[in-house]
Structure formats: C-alpha cells, structure tokens
Amino acid sequence: MIVATPRFRLEPYVQFAQKAMAREATYRFDVFTSIASVLVRVYLLRMVWVALYARNTAPSDLPLHAIITYSTVALLMGLVMDIDQTRMLHDRLHSGDIATDFMKPIVVPLYFFADGSGEVIFHAVLIVPSLLLALLIVHIDVPGPLVLGTFFVSFFLGYLVGFCINFILNCVAFWTLEIHAVQLIVTWVTDLFGGEIIPLVIFPAFLQKVAFALPFAAMFSTPLLIYIGVIKPERYAAALGLQAFWVVVLGFVATVMWRAGAKRVIVQGG
Amino acid sequence: MNHLRVMLGVYKQYWRINILTTLEYRENFLIWFAFTFIYHGSAVLALWIVLNRFPSMNGWTFRDMAFLYGLWMLAHALHNTFFSTVGDVPDHIRDGEFDRILVRPLDTLFQVIATPGQVFPDELILALITFTAATWYSGVQVDATFLIFVPLIVAGGALIDLAFNLFISTVAFWFVRVDALRWIVVQLEQEFTRYPISIYSRGVRLLLTFVVPFAFMNYFPARFFLHKAHESSMLPAGVGLLTPAIGLGFVAMAYVFWRFGLNRYSGVGH
C-alpha cells in the first residue's frame, strides 16, 4: 500500500543527505585508504607512462605530460565516480526494509538519491587533499576557463550516467539478490572501457569503435578528453549531446526497471 | 603419527564440504567464476592494449609481460585455493568463533586453514591454463631447469602470499579491524607486480624486493627465464631461483609472529 504524498517538501531529503555525510565521516580508516589508494595509483601510473614513453614514439596529440594529467584527473574523478550511490536500494531489499519505506510519505527513489548524494558530496571533499598530495608526485596541466568549465559540465553528465548504471544494477536485486559479482564485473568493464585507466584514443582502431559506442565512455573518457584538449571546442556540443543522450536512455531504463520492481514488492506484500 | 592421521582426515572432509557446497550453489559459483575470468581477462587485455600502442616497456614486450602475469597469477591462485581462509581470522576474532577454535584439540592455524567455505580450485585451473599459454607464447625455453624450478617458484610465491596474509591476520589480535592494512598490501601486490619493477624508483624497488618481496613472485624468476638479467644491475640473474627460500623464510617469520600473537591473545570480550 502506498500512502499518497500530500505535498512535496525538500527538507527531508536534505536531512537524508546530511545523515549520509555524517555516516561516511565516521569511517576514518576508509577515508585514509581512499586517499592513500589514489596516491599510490598516481605514482604507479606515472612510472608506467614514463617507462612507455621513454622507449617508444609518442602519439603526437598525447604528449607525456597530457597522459599523466589524464591519469591523475581520472583517479581524482574516481573518488566520486566509483561510489555505488544506490547501494542502499540493494541493502534495503536484502533486509526487507524496502516494504516499510514504501509506506513512508516520501518518494523512495529520491530518498536513495539524497542518501547517495550525501555520500558523494563527502567523497568529493576528499578530492581536495588528494589533489594537493598528488601534486607532490606529479605535475598536472590546468586548462583555461572555457575548457575547465566544459569539463565540469561533462563530468556532471558522466556522473549521471554512472548513477543510472548503478541504479539499474541495484534494481536487478528486485529479482535476484546475488548481484555483488555482477556489479564487480561491471566495475572492471567500466574501468577499462570507460577510459579510466587507459585513454580510449590509444586503443586499437576496432576496440576504439566498440568502446566509443558503449555508454561507459560517457563516464570518464568524454570529460577527460575535454580536459586534456583532445576534444576541441568545436566538438563540445556533439560530445556533451552524446552524454545527454545516454543519460536519457539509461534514465528511461532505470525508471522502467524501478516501476516493475516496486510493483513486484507491493504485489508480494514485501 | 596418529595426530597427523586425524589432521589428514579433517583436511579431506574440508575439501569434501567445499566441493559439495559449490555443487549446491551452482549459479553462485558460475557468477563468481565469470568474475574471476573477467578480472584476469581485463587485466591482460589492458596490458595488450597499452603494449600494442607502445611495443616496449623498458625492454619488455607483451609476450614477456604475459609470462610475468601468468607466473604471478599461478602463484596467487595457488595461495587463494589453499590458504585464503587464513584471511578470515579477523572475522573469527570479531564474532567470537576464534575462541571456539582455541579450545579444540587441534593446531589453531590448521583449523583456520581447514574452515570450510565455498572454495573451489577454479581459479587455479584457470591460472594453469593461462600460465601454460603464456609460457608457450613468450617462447620461454622449457628445459630441465624450468621443469624443476617453476613448480618450486610457484609454491614459493604462494608462500610469500601466505606470509603476508598470516602477518596481517595476526595484527588482528591487537587491532580487530585490519581491513585497511590488508587492502593496502593487496593493492601493492596486485598492481605493482603487473609491470617489471625496473620501471619504479629505487625506493619502491627495494621495498618490493626486501620488505614486501612480491618481486620474487614473478619479476625475478621471469627475468631469469626471459634472459633479461642485464636490465637491472641491482641483483644477479640467479636470485630468480631463490623464490622458494624467500617464501619459506617469510612464512617462518610470519609463523613466529603468529605464535607470539596467539600467546598474547585474550579475546575481545565476548
């Protein structure tokens, strides 16, 4: 049974987000390890690219400093992008609490979104110390305001794509509860085909075609290629448009799955 | 002698239960097998993509790197198959199960190793296939030295893994939560063993050779079998055959530390 929502109020969702932030802040060790992990990877990727560029001819549009910038910014983005913002949906399906959530006078998906956003904002704050410490290991290029501004817009669109993919995966839990392995598999595929570890432009031609046709490229590759200037301003509209296209398509799939899943819970009585 | 027979009987039962459990949860097993396959598959694919564009990493080709990866994978899978349960000690301590293990009349560490779960030698089989293919592909000469030393080196590599697994689990006698520490060591191993250590700075090379000697799991032996001794003047080629001794030495140290921790352990107050 769903209680009709009388009048929409934003305050509860702000509260949910604040609660989530406070919760995340209590895991100090996790904070420490996420920053340490970023720094270790910054070092590792720097050494890898230096070694590769030392003995081979460099690609003309991707000099060493650009690829090191790419990797470092990708790792910092990962602090936010690699969070499973809607894990709560899966957890509450597991515990059965989802049944009582439906009875509360709230919009349930928005509740999950608020909780996830709180977590994300907390991790976004970690980018600052990580960036400062990373600058001790590498030098990164900072582009002009137009590029930087477009990068942030593109990053946000990429974040929405990631959110939808996570939401869809967590919706699978309506039908089968064992989704952890599937999520991990998708994470590996995203890391590689999203361009988080290796820029898609150095993939061999046929793999590049595959990778650019998948939605994962909209998560990391597009904002990062804008940042390092491989995507030039005249192609900004097309690049952002493609990202927006994926947000709409995946958002639609997520909505359909959510409706079907919610119906299932309500019909079965939780 | 009688004691040994009892342990052997227990160990047989342990594998019987593992295999029966796996057969019972077949879908689960298949999903996790897909995970293992895609994890290693995407790692190798990433190496291939990079080395397809940049054919030499400090003198190592993709063929060399395939051998490097195969060797690590085999040793790591051997450890995961037989000793991954050692990593459950912190969980046993936290939920009080460890106190029950302590009062039973069999060696504590043996009981920990033989605590049934859902272990199946699937990763080991996959690793054997990968290593065989990588050996053939890299053109390493399979002679008497290879046939005698590779099994010993793989066993030694698994012991290096075991030593750190046991060491971290022992730390849990004092600090119950060791997830962060384990996570850092695991990351150090998985990501830094993927490339020849000659690409790192001196400090990291020394760390991976003498402090957390993961370089002995694959780099030094691969350097020996691929005849790349000239590339790093740090140590002679022959050290590549020392892996079994290093593994035994580190496991011995970890075991002494374990015994020390066990004698000091007084429970977490259940």
Side-chain angles (χ1 to χ4, degrees), chain B residues 111-137:
Chain B
Q111 284 187 64
V112 168
I113 290 173
T115 302
Q118 217 178 313
V119 187
F120 199 75
D122 55 321
E123 193 183 11
L124 188 57
I125 294 165
L126 193 65
L128 272 170
I129 296 169
T130 309
F131 179 71
T132 310
T135 304
W136 167 78
Y137 182 65

Side-chain angles (χ1 to χ4, degrees), chain B residues 25-78:
Chain B
Y25 298 99
R26 237 166 289 175
E27 292 86 4
N28 215 5
F29 166 74
L30 285 175
I31 293 174
W32 280 107
F33 180 70
F35 165 73
T36 310
F37 187 83
I38 290 174
Y39 171 76
H40 292 293
S42 70
V44 174
L45 183 62
L47 284 178
W48 179 77
I49 290 170
V50 170
L51 287 149
N52 181 59
R53 179 63 191 77
F54 304 91
S56 157
M57 180 184 247
N58 231 6
W60 290 61
T61 62
F62 177 66
R63 286 169 191 267
D64 302 332
M65 304 275 280
F67 185 72
L68 189 71
Y69 191 87
L71 198 52
W72 171 77
M73 183 180 172
L74 190 53
H76 188 65
L78 186 67

Side-chain angles (χ1 to χ4, degrees), chain A residues 44 47-48 51-52, chain B residues 47 51 56-61 64-66 68-69 191-201 204-205 208 215 218-220 222-223 226 228 231-232:
Chain A
L44 178 68
M47 292 326 240
V48 166
L52 288 170
Chain B
L47 284 178
L51 287 149
S56 157
M57 180 184 247
N58 231 6
W60 290 61
T61 62
D64 302 332
M65 304 275 280
L68 189 71
Y69 191 87
E191 310 217 349
F192 282 73
T193 52
R194 215 163 276 180
Y195 312 99
I197 69 161
S198 52
I199 70 166
Y200 307 127
S201 49
V204 174
R205 287 205 308 264
L208 291 170
N218 63 349
Y219 172 73
F220 286 118
R223 198 181 66 147
L226 293 165
K228 290 186 180 296
E231 79 147 27
S232 154

Side-chain angles (χ1 to χ4, degrees), chain A residues 92-145:
Chain A
R92 296 188 81 81
L93 278 167
H94 232 280
S95 64
D97 289 337
I98 189 95
T100 51
D101 288 339
F102 276 119
M103 287 179 211
K104 292 173 191 161
I106 52 171
V107 183
V108 180
L110 212 52
Y111 165 45
F112 297 140
F113 183 77
D115 184 85
S117 303
E119 198 175 330
V120 164
I121 292 166
F122 177 75
H123 284 265
V125 173
L126 296 185
I127 289 182
V128 178
S130 307
L131 173 64
L132 292 176
L133 290 168
L135 287 176
L136 298 175
I137 308 173
V138 287
H139 170 81
I140 64 170
D141 305 338
V142 181

Side-chain angles (χ1 to χ4, degrees), chain A residues 29-30 32-34 36-38 40-41 43-45 47-49 51-53 55-60 67 178 180-182 184-185 188-189 192-193 197-198 202-204 206-207, chain B residues 28 31-32 34-35 38-39 41-43 45-60 177 179-181 183-184 187-188 190-192 195 199-202 204:
Chain A
F29 250 152
D30 288 357
F32 167 71
T33 47
S34 8
S37 156
V38 167
V40 167
R41 281 158 190 250
Y43 169 82
L44 178 68
L45 286 172
M47 292 326 240
V48 166
W49 291 123
L52 288 170
Y53 273 68
R55 296 245 190 133
N56 303 281
T57 46
S60 57
I67 207 158
E178 181 52 55
H180 190 55
V182 178
L184 285 171
I185 290 171
W188 295 118
V189 174
L192 189 58
F193 284 90
I197 324 171
I198 309 163
I202 70 164
F203 276 41
F206 72 99
L207 268 182
Chain B
N28 215 5
I31 293 174
W32 280 107
F35 165 73
I38 290 174
Y39 171 76
S42 70
L45 183 62
L47 284 178
W48 179 77
I49 290 170
V50 170
L51 287 149
N52 181 59
R53 179 63 191 77
F54 304 91
S56 157
M57 180 184 247
N58 231 6
W60 290 61
R177 288 197 75 102
D179 307 355
L181 179 64
W183 199 80
I184 288 172
Q187 203 185 20
L188 208 62
Q190 296 196 338
E191 310 217 349
F192 282 73
Y195 312 99
I199 70 166
Y200 307 127
S201 49
R202 195 182 155 75
V204 174

Side-chain angles (χ1 to χ4, degrees), chain A residues 84-87 89-90 93 112 160-176 179 182-183 186 215-216 246-259 261:
Chain A
D84 180 9
Q85 311 97 331
T86 50
R87 189 189 56 224
L89 167 59
H90 174 241
L93 278 167
F112 297 140
L160 290 181
V161 171
F163 180 85
C164 290
I165 292 176
N166 271 322
F167 192 81
I168 290 168
L169 283 175
N170 280 305
C171 274
V172 173
F174 276 116
W175 289 271
T176 166
I179 61 162
V182 178
Q183 278 181 313
V186 173
F216 310 119
W246 281 119
V247 174
V248 172
V249 170
L250 294 169
F252 177 75
V253 174
T255 313
V256 169
M257 285 191 68
W258 166 259
R259 292 240 171 95

